Amino acid sequence: MAEVTIKASEDGPFLVKGPVKVVDADGAEYDMGDRPVLELCRCGGSATKPFCDGTHRLIGFGAPEAAPRPAVRPPP
Ligand code: FES
């Protein structure tokens, strides 16, 4: 199974790599084409949510501090 990673970019969107589906509240899937990376808005300002449209740069979005370090869990 391919791995999915989600990385918080500095003062910008979440960068999602890997085989994921994005589904709206009604259950409809977005056509992601062959995009190797998705950019999901985390500033709240995008007009194309859940995707980033670059508005974070216009509004001067500053991401909060880094999340606490995750606990390392052993594989199941
Ligand atoms: S993170 Fe880019 S528009 Fe919100």
Side-chain angles (χ1 to χ4, degrees), residues 3-62:
E3 182 174 296
V4 174
T5 61
I6 303 173
K7 179 180 179 185
S9 64
E10 186 173 341
D11 297 334
F14 289 112
L15 306 175
V16 182
K17 287 185 185 177
V20 297
K21 287 183 191 174
V22 180
V23 181
D24 73 12
D26 296 323
E29 284 186 31
Y30 290 92
D31 178 7
M32 305 316 308
D34 294 331
R35 299 162 99 181
V37 178
L38 301 179
E39 297 178 338
L40 298 181
C41 179
R42 70 176 172 142
C43 76
S46 175
T48 60
K49 288 189 224 45
F51 305 104
C52 171
D53 67 357
T55 297
H56 62 273
R57 289 186 211 99
L58 300 175
I59 64 175
F61 174 66

